[in-house]
Amino acid sequence: MSLPERNFIADALRAETVGGVLLLVAAVAALIWANTLGASYEAVRGFHLGPASLGLDLSIQHWAANGLLAIFFFVAGIELKRELVAGELRNRRAAALPVIAAVCGMATPALVYVVVNTLGGGSLQGWAVPTATDIAFALAVLAVIGTSLPAALRAFLLTLAVVDDLFAILIIAIFFTSKINFAALGFAVVGLVVFYLLLRKGVRGWYVYVPLAVVIWALMENSGVHATIAGVAMGLMLRCHRRDGETQSPGEHIEHLIRPLSAGLAVPLFALFSAGVSLSGGALHGVFTRPETLGVVLGLIVGKALGIFGGTWCAARFTKAELNPDLRWPDVFAVASLAGIGFTVSLLIGELAFSEDLALADEIKASVLIGSLLAAVCAAVLLKLRNRKYKKLCEDEERDEDQDGIPDIYEVDKPEYHLRMAAIHEAKAAEHRRLAEVASGSHAGDDGPA
């Protein structure tokens, strides 16, 4: 991997690790709150606020799902744009594997859900729930457990998760859109066009773009199309390639500013007001006996792993796509298992799919939590085993003997590096010669008369 790409992935991992921890804390807090003081939890997340005249008299839970997650999808849109112009998706052959893996990793869990519910007589409305992968949780687990895994594996997961998010957005837009208000949708599109033109004209200033983004989001919310689509659309419009003299593209700069808000506030608050479900003994029993919830659990654990691994293997076997030479098939299977962590987007799709049956929606959320937890445990075990294999390789990859802040692996073809190393070795040789002379003089003194 190029050094800028490697640094980008390292920064993303650091941010998502913190975000993943906060997400976990928020989810646990929601579960404790909902199972101890359930009445107050329901009262808070059901509290409505916002101007009704603008069609924005929404519950706090709705604000979290449609408003705060728009920030999350805005960052996802920037990530996708960057991957398309400067990352793994820029090269068709390199992009083929994670793209095919993402598609198969969404189709197979949906198929597992449909089969389970067809055989068990359950509702097919939740087919899309197990199709999504949670970027924050998956990258957090990878960063904590897989400290010595190759950078190519991190890039594979990041690209896979970004493509997964894109298809999740399309699923929400196509299958979970209510009656469309074409007037509001038309004005939202006009707002997006204005947003795009301002970017192309080089207009700067948050005081221009933030109010415009809020207006676009409000119009999209009133149009019937899920409001998070506005976030990803604006993210895709940002320029993510660097021009001469730039250390960061505008997209990278804005992502650097917004990612902490997304990972540290927006996603955890969404989890706080969405993950609070009853986990009584009867509810847990229902997760493994009711076809809808069992389909979600099996989709996340079995469907994701088989879909991603099988899709990757078939692509490498029957097309021109190639697996990165730094990776092995056990690595791919470990990442495929890790992608079974659905959480954020799965919770959102569960709310949309069963919005008319709140009891079943809560059971679906419980199945998402349990399925994601089991997938995380399985993946952690597999990644830990692979991590031992790569520990020595990681040390070689991080070695910086000339102490210039750049790993030596990126400088082996530069004459300056070898000249610096020659000077370092000459200095060490001179020091050893001096020590040898001191030691020789010391021994000569010992051999003389007392």
Side-chain angles (χ1 to χ4, degrees), residues 82-153:
R82 190 191 175 283
E83 290 295 319
L84 287 168
V85 300
E88 291 288 302
L89 296 179
R90 179 182 54 178
N91 184 313
R92 291 185 180 181
R93 182 170 292 187
L97 278 182
V99 170
I100 293 172
V103 173
C104 294
M106 298 187 80
T108 308
L111 181 61
V112 169
Y113 179 92
V114 169
V115 169
V116 170
N117 281 272
T118 300
L119 296 176
S123 170
L124 299 182
Q125 287 178 262
W127 64 271
V129 175
T131 60
T133 294
D134 189 284
I135 295 180
F137 258 156
L139 289 180
V141 172
L142 183 64
V144 173
I145 301 296
T147 53
S148 299
L149 293 171
L153 191 64

Coordinates of all heavy atoms in Angstrom, one line a residue, residues 82-153:
R82 N -13.7 8.8 -1.6 CA -12.3 8.7 -1.6 C -11.8 7.4 -2.1 O -10.8 7.3 -2.8 CB -11.8 8.9 -0.1 CG -10.3 9.1 0.0 CD -9.8 9.0 1.4 NE -8.4 9.1 1.4 CZ -7.6 8.0 1.1 NH1 -8.2 6.9 0.8 NH2 -6.3 8.1 1.0
E83 N -12.5 6.3 -1.7 CA -12.1 5.0 -2.2 C -12.2 5.0 -3.7 O -11.4 4.3 -4.4 CB -13.0 3.9 -1.6 CG -12.7 3.7 -0.1 CD -11.4 3.1 0.2 OE1 -10.9 2.3 -0.6 OE2 -10.7 3.6 1.1
L84 N -13.2 5.7 -4.3 CA -13.4 5.6 -5.8 C -12.3 6.4 -6.5 O -11.9 6.0 -7.6 CB -14.8 6.2 -6.1 CG -16.0 5.4 -5.8 CD1 -17.3 6.2 -5.9 CD2 -16.1 4.2 -6.7
V85 N -11.8 7.5 -5.9 CA -10.8 8.3 -6.7 C -9.4 8.1 -6.2 O -8.5 8.5 -6.9 CB -11.2 9.8 -6.5 CG1 -12.6 10.1 -7.1 CG2 -11.1 10.3 -5.1
A86 N -9.2 7.6 -5.0 CA -7.8 7.5 -4.5 C -7.5 6.3 -3.7 O -6.3 6.0 -3.4 CB -7.5 8.7 -3.6
G87 N -8.5 5.4 -3.5 CA -8.3 4.2 -2.7 C -8.4 3.0 -3.5 O -8.1 2.9 -4.7
E88 N -8.8 1.9 -2.8 CA -8.8 0.6 -3.4 C -9.8 0.5 -4.6 O -9.6 -0.3 -5.5 CB -9.2 -0.5 -2.4 CG -8.2 -0.7 -1.3 CD -7.0 -1.5 -1.8 OE1 -7.2 -2.6 -2.3 OE2 -5.9 -0.9 -1.7
L89 N -10.9 1.2 -4.6 CA -11.9 1.1 -5.7 C -11.4 1.8 -6.9 O -12.1 1.7 -8.0 CB -13.2 1.7 -5.2 CG -13.9 1.0 -4.0 CD1 -15.2 1.7 -3.7 CD2 -14.2 -0.4 -4.4
R90 N -10.3 2.5 -6.9 CA -9.8 3.2 -8.1 C -9.3 2.2 -9.1 O -9.5 2.4 -10.3 CB -8.7 4.2 -7.7 CG -8.0 4.9 -8.8 CD -6.9 5.8 -8.4 NE -5.9 5.0 -7.6 CZ -4.8 5.5 -7.1 NH1 -4.6 6.8 -7.2 NH2 -4.0 4.8 -6.4
N91 N -8.7 1.1 -8.6 CA -8.2 0.1 -9.5 C -9.2 -1.0 -9.6 O -9.6 -1.6 -8.6 CB -6.9 -0.5 -8.9 CG -6.2 -1.5 -9.8 OD1 -6.9 -2.4 -10.3 ND2 -4.9 -1.4 -9.9
R92 N -9.7 -1.2 -10.8 CA -10.8 -2.2 -11.0 C -10.4 -3.6 -10.5 O -11.3 -4.2 -9.9 CB -11.1 -2.2 -12.5 CG -11.8 -1.0 -13.1 CD -12.2 -1.2 -14.5 NE -12.9 0.0 -15.0 CZ -13.3 0.1 -16.3 NH1 -13.3 -0.9 -17.1 NH2 -13.9 1.3 -16.7
R93 N -9.2 -4.0 -10.8 CA -8.9 -5.4 -10.4 C -8.8 -5.5 -8.9 O -9.2 -6.4 -8.3 CB -7.5 -5.8 -11.0 CG -7.1 -7.2 -10.7 CD -5.9 -7.6 -11.5 NE -6.3 -7.8 -12.9 CZ -5.5 -8.3 -13.8 NH1 -4.3 -8.7 -13.5 NH2 -5.9 -8.4 -15.1
A94 N -8.2 -4.4 -8.2 CA -8.1 -4.4 -6.8 C -9.5 -4.3 -6.1 O -9.8 -4.8 -5.1 CB -7.2 -3.3 -6.3
A95 N -10.4 -3.5 -6.8 CA -11.7 -3.2 -6.3 C -12.7 -4.4 -6.4 O -13.6 -4.5 -5.7 CB -12.3 -2.0 -7.0
A96 N -12.4 -5.3 -7.4 CA -13.4 -6.3 -7.7 C -13.7 -7.2 -6.5 O -14.8 -7.5 -6.2 CB -12.8 -7.1 -8.9
L97 N -12.6 -7.6 -5.8 CA -12.8 -8.5 -4.7 C -13.7 -8.0 -3.6 O -14.7 -8.6 -3.2 CB -11.5 -9.0 -4.2 CG -10.8 -10.2 -4.9 CD1 -9.5 -10.5 -4.2 CD2 -11.7 -11.4 -5.0
P98 N -13.3 -6.8 -3.0 CA -14.2 -6.3 -1.9 C -15.6 -5.9 -2.4 O -16.5 -6.1 -1.6 CB -13.4 -5.1 -1.4 CG -12.5 -4.7 -2.5 CD -12.1 -6.0 -3.2
V99 N -15.7 -5.5 -3.7 CA -17.1 -5.2 -4.2 C -17.9 -6.4 -4.3 O -19.1 -6.5 -3.8 CB -17.0 -4.4 -5.5 CG1 -18.4 -4.3 -6.2 CG2 -16.4 -3.1 -5.3
I100 N -17.3 -7.5 -4.9 CA -18.1 -8.7 -5.1 C -18.3 -9.3 -3.7 O -19.4 -9.9 -3.4 CB -17.3 -9.7 -5.9 CG1 -17.2 -9.2 -7.4 CG2 -17.9 -11.1 -5.9 CD1 -16.3 -10.0 -8.3
A101 N -17.4 -9.2 -2.8 CA -17.5 -9.7 -1.4 C -18.7 -9.0 -0.7 O -19.5 -9.6 0.0 CB -16.3 -9.6 -0.6
A102 N -18.8 -7.7 -0.9 CA -19.8 -6.9 -0.3 C -21.2 -7.3 -0.8 O -22.2 -7.5 -0.1 CB -19.6 -5.4 -0.5
V103 N -21.3 -7.5 -2.1 CA -22.6 -7.9 -2.8 C -23.0 -9.2 -2.3 O -24.2 -9.4 -1.9 CB -22.5 -7.8 -4.3 CG1 -23.7 -8.4 -4.9 CG2 -22.2 -6.4 -4.8
C104 N -22.1 -10.2 -2.3 CA -22.4 -11.5 -1.8 C -22.7 -11.6 -0.3 O -23.5 -12.3 0.2 CB -21.3 -12.5 -2.2 SG -21.0 -12.8 -3.9
G105 N -22.0 -10.7 0.4 CA -22.2 -10.6 1.8 C -23.5 -9.9 2.2 O -23.8 -9.9 3.4
M106 N -24.2 -9.3 1.3 CA -25.5 -8.8 1.5 C -26.6 -9.7 1.0 O -27.7 -9.9 1.6 CB -25.7 -7.4 0.9 CG -24.7 -6.4 1.5 SD -25.0 -4.7 0.9 CE -26.3 -4.2 2.0
A107 N -26.3 -10.4 -0.1 CA -27.3 -11.3 -0.7 C -27.5 -12.5 0.1 O -28.6 -13.0 0.3 CB -26.9 -11.6 -2.2
T108 N -26.4 -13.1 0.6 CA -26.5 -14.4 1.3 C -27.3 -14.3 2.6 O -28.1 -15.1 2.9 CB -25.1 -15.0 1.5 OG1 -24.4 -15.1 0.3 CG2 -25.2 -16.4 2.1
P109 N -27.0 -13.3 3.5 CA -27.8 -13.1 4.7 C -29.3 -12.9 4.4 O -30.1 -13.5 5.1 CB -27.2 -11.9 5.4 CG -25.8 -11.8 4.8 CD -25.9 -12.3 3.4
A110 N -29.6 -12.2 3.3 CA -31.0 -12.0 2.9 C -31.6 -13.3 2.5 O -32.8 -13.6 2.9 CB -31.1 -11.0 1.8
L111 N -30.8 -14.1 1.8 CA -31.3 -15.4 1.4 C -31.5 -16.3 2.6 O -32.5 -17.1 2.7 CB -30.3 -16.1 0.4 CG -30.7 -17.4 -0.1 CD1 -32.0 -17.4 -0.9 CD2 -29.6 -18.0 -1.0
V112 N -30.6 -16.3 3.5 CA -30.7 -17.1 4.8 C -32.0 -16.7 5.5 O -32.8 -17.6 6.0 CB -29.5 -16.9 5.7 CG1 -29.8 -17.5 7.1 CG2 -28.3 -17.6 5.0
Y113 N -32.2 -15.4 5.6 CA -33.4 -14.9 6.3 C -34.7 -15.4 5.6 O -35.7 -15.9 6.2 CB -33.4 -13.4 6.4 CG -34.6 -12.8 7.1 CD1 -34.6 -12.5 8.4 CD2 -35.8 -12.5 6.3 CE1 -35.8 -12.0 9.0 CE2 -36.9 -12.0 7.0 CZ -36.9 -11.8 8.3 OH -38.0 -11.2 8.9
V114 N -34.7 -15.3 4.3 CA -35.9 -15.7 3.5 C -36.2 -17.2 3.6 O -37.3 -17.6 3.8 CB -35.7 -15.3 2.0 CG1 -36.8 -15.9 1.2 CG2 -35.8 -13.8 1.9
V115 N -35.1 -18.0 3.6 CA -35.3 -19.4 3.7 C -35.8 -19.8 5.1 O -36.8 -20.6 5.2 CB -33.9 -20.2 3.5 CG1 -34.0 -21.6 3.9 CG2 -33.5 -20.0 2.0
V116 N -35.2 -19.2 6.1 CA -35.7 -19.5 7.5 C -37.1 -19.2 7.7 O -37.9 -19.9 8.3 CB -34.8 -18.8 8.5 CG1 -35.4 -18.9 9.9 CG2 -33.4 -19.4 8.5
N117 N -37.5 -18.0 7.2 CA -38.9 -17.5 7.4 C -39.9 -18.2 6.5 O -41.1 -18.3 6.8 CB -39.0 -16.0 7.3 CG -38.5 -15.3 8.5 OD1 -39.2 -15.0 9.4 ND2 -37.1 -15.0 8.5
T118 N -39.5 -18.6 5.3 CA -40.3 -19.4 4.4 C -40.7 -20.7 5.1 O -41.8 -21.2 5.1 CB -39.7 -19.6 3.1 OG1 -39.5 -18.3 2.5 CG2 -40.6 -20.4 2.1
L119 N -39.6 -21.4 5.6 CA -39.8 -22.7 6.2 C -40.6 -22.6 7.5 O -41.4 -23.4 7.9 CB -38.5 -23.4 6.5 CG -37.7 -23.7 5.2 CD1 -36.3 -24.3 5.6 CD2 -38.4 -24.7 4.3
G120 N -40.3 -21.5 8.3 CA -41.0 -21.3 9.6 C -42.3 -20.5 9.6 O -42.9 -20.3 10.6
G121 N -42.7 -20.0 8.4 CA -43.9 -19.3 8.3 C -43.9 -17.9 8.9 O -44.9 -17.4 9.3
G122 N -42.7 -17.3 8.9 CA -42.5 -15.9 9.4 C -42.7 -14.8 8.4 O -43.0 -15.1 7.2
S123 N -42.6 -13.6 8.8 CA -42.7 -12.5 7.9 C -41.4 -12.2 7.1 O -40.3 -12.3 7.7 CB -43.0 -11.2 8.7 OG -42.9 -10.0 7.9
L124 N -41.6 -11.9 5.8 CA -40.4 -11.7 5.0 C -40.0 -10.2 5.0 O -39.1 -9.8 4.3 CB -40.7 -12.1 3.5 CG -41.0 -13.6 3.4 CD1 -41.3 -13.9 1.9 CD2 -39.9 -14.5 3.9
Q125 N -40.7 -9.4 5.7 CA -40.4 -7.9 5.7 C -39.0 -7.6 6.2 O -38.4 -6.6 5.8 CB -41.4 -7.2 6.6 CG -42.8 -7.1 6.1 CD -43.7 -6.4 7.0 OE1 -44.5 -7.0 7.8 NE2 -43.7 -5.1 7.1
G126 N -38.4 -8.5 7.0 CA -37.1 -8.1 7.6 C -35.9 -8.7 6.8 O -34.8 -8.8 7.4
W127 N -36.1 -9.0 5.6 CA -35.0 -9.7 4.8 C -33.8 -8.8 4.7 O -32.7 -9.3 4.6 CB -35.5 -9.9 3.4 CG -35.9 -8.7 2.6 CD1 -37.1 -8.0 2.5 CD2 -35.0 -7.9 1.8 NE1 -37.0 -6.9 1.7 CE2 -35.7 -6.8 1.3 CE3 -33.6 -8.0 1.5 CZ2 -35.1 -5.8 0.4 CZ3 -33.0 -7.0 0.7 CH2 -33.8 -6.0 0.1
A128 N -33.9 -7.5 4.8 CA -32.8 -6.6 4.7 C -32.0 -6.3 6.0 O -30.9 -5.8 6.0 CB -33.2 -5.2 4.1
V129 N -32.6 -6.8 7.1 CA -32.0 -6.4 8.4 C -30.6 -7.0 8.6 O -29.7 -6.3 9.0 CB -32.9 -6.9 9.6 CG1 -32.2 -6.7 10.9 CG2 -34.2 -6.2 9.6
P130 N -30.3 -8.3 8.2 CA -29.0 -8.8 8.4 C -28.0 -8.5 7.3 O -26.9 -9.1 7.3 CB -29.2 -10.3 8.5 CG -30.4 -10.6 7.6 CD -31.3 -9.3 7.8
T131 N -28.4 -7.6 6.4 CA -27.5 -7.4 5.2 C -26.4 -6.4 5.5 O -25.4 -6.3 4.8 CB -28.3 -6.9 4.0 OG1 -28.9 -5.7 4.3 CG2 -29.4 -7.9 3.6
A132 N -26.5 -5.6 6.5 CA -25.6 -4.5 6.8 C -24.5 -4.8 7.7 O -24.6 -5.7 8.6 CB -26.4 -3.3 7.3
T133 N -23.3 -4.1 7.5 CA -22.2 -4.3 8.4 C -21.9 -2.9 9.1 O -21.9 -1.9 8.4 CB -20.9 -4.7 7.6 OG1 -21.1 -6.0 7.0 CG2 -19.7 -4.7 8.5
D134 N -21.7 -3.0 10.4 CA -21.4 -1.7 11.1 C -19.9 -1.4 11.0 O -19.1 -2.1 11.6 CB -21.8 -1.9 12.6 CG -21.8 -0.6 13.3 OD1 -20.7 -0.2 13.7 OD2 -22.8 0.0 13.6
I135 N -19.6 -0.3 10.4 CA -18.2 0.1 10.2 C -17.5 0.3 11.5 O -16.4 -0.2 11.8 CB -18.0 1.4 9.3 CG1 -18.5 1.1 7.9 CG2 -16.6 1.9 9.3 CD1 -18.5 2.3 7.0
A136 N -18.1 1.1 12.4 CA -17.5 1.5 13.7 C -17.1 0.3 14.5 O -16.0 0.1 15.0 CB -18.4 2.4 14.4
F137 N -18.1 -0.6 14.7 CA -17.8 -1.8 15.5 C -16.8 -2.7 14.9 O -15.9 -3.2 15.5 CB -19.2 -2.6 15.8 CG -19.8 -2.3 17.1 CD1 -21.1 -2.5 17.4 CD2 -19.0 -1.9 18.2 CE1 -21.7 -2.3 18.6 CE2 -19.5 -1.7 19.4 CZ -20.9 -1.9 19.6
A138 N -17.0 -3.0 13.6 CA -16.1 -3.9 12.9 C -14.6 -3.4 12.9 O -13.7 -4.2 13.3 CB -16.5 -4.1 11.5
L139 N -14.4 -2.2 12.6 CA -13.1 -1.6 12.6 C -12.5 -1.5 14.0 O -11.3 -1.7 14.3 CB -13.0 -0.3 12.0 CG -13.2 -0.3 10.4 CD1 -13.2 1.2 9.9 CD2 -12.2 -1.1 9.7
A140 N -13.4 -1.3 15.0 CA -12.9 -1.2 16.4 C -12.4 -2.6 16.9 O -11.4 -2.7 17.5 CB -14.0 -0.7 17.3
V141 N -13.2 -3.6 16.6 CA -12.7 -5.0 16.9 C -11.4 -5.3 16.2 O -10.5 -5.9 16.8 CB -13.8 -6.0 16.6 CG1 -13.3 -7.4 16.8 CG2 -15.1 -5.8 17.4
L142 N -11.3 -5.0 14.9 CA -10.1 -5.3 14.2 C -8.9 -4.5 14.8 O -7.8 -5.1 14.9 CB -10.3 -4.9 12.7 CG -9.1 -5.2 11.8 CD1 -8.9 -6.8 11.7 CD2 -9.4 -4.7 10.4
A143 N -9.1 -3.3 15.1 CA -8.0 -2.5 15.7 C -7.6 -3.0 17.0 O -6.4 -3.0 17.3 CB -8.5 -1.0 15.8
V144 N -8.5 -3.4 17.9 CA -8.2 -3.9 19.2 C -7.5 -5.3 19.2 O -6.5 -5.6 19.9 CB -9.4 -3.9 20.1 CG1 -9.1 -4.5 21.5 CG2 -9.9 -2.4 20.3
I145 N -8.1 -6.2 18.4 CA -7.7 -7.6 18.4 C -6.5 -7.8 17.4 O -5.5 -8.4 17.7 CB -8.8 -8.5 18.0 CG1 -10.0 -8.4 19.0 CG2 -8.3 -10.0 18.0 CD1 -9.6 -8.8 20.4
G146 N -6.6 -7.2 16.2 CA -5.7 -7.5 15.2 C -4.6 -6.4 15.0 O -4.4 -5.8 14.0
T147 N -3.8 -6.2 16.1 CA -2.8 -5.2 16.1 C -1.7 -5.5 15.2 O -1.0 -4.5 14.7 CB -2.2 -5.0 17.6 OG1 -1.8 -6.3 18.0 CG2 -3.3 -4.5 18.5
S148 N -1.4 -6.7 14.8 CA -0.3 -7.0 13.9 C -0.8 -7.6 12.6 O 0.1 -8.1 11.8 CB 0.6 -8.1 14.6 OG 1.1 -7.6 15.8
L149 N -2.1 -7.5 12.3 CA -2.5 -8.0 11.0 C -2.1 -7.1 9.9 O -1.9 -5.9 10.1 CB -4.1 -8.1 11.0 CG -4.6 -9.1 12.0 CD1 -6.2 -9.0 12.1 CD2 -4.3 -10.5 11.5
P150 N -1.9 -7.6 8.7 CA -1.4 -6.8 7.6 C -2.4 -5.6 7.2 O -3.6 -5.7 7.4 CB -1.3 -7.7 6.4 CG -2.2 -8.9 6.7 CD -2.2 -9.0 8.2
A151 N -1.8 -4.5 6.7 CA -2.6 -3.3 6.4 C -3.5 -3.7 5.3 O -4.6 -3.1 5.2 CB -1.6 -2.2 5.9
A152 N -3.2 -4.6 4.4 CA -4.1 -5.0 3.3 C -5.4 -5.6 3.8 O -6.5 -5.4 3.2 CB -3.4 -6.0 2.4
L153 N -5.4 -6.2 5.0 CA -6.6 -6.8 5.6 C -7.5 -5.6 6.1 O -8.7 -5.7 5.9 CB -6.3 -7.7 6.7 CG -7.4 -8.6 7.3 CD1 -7.9 -9.5 6.2 CD2 -7.0 -9.3 8.5

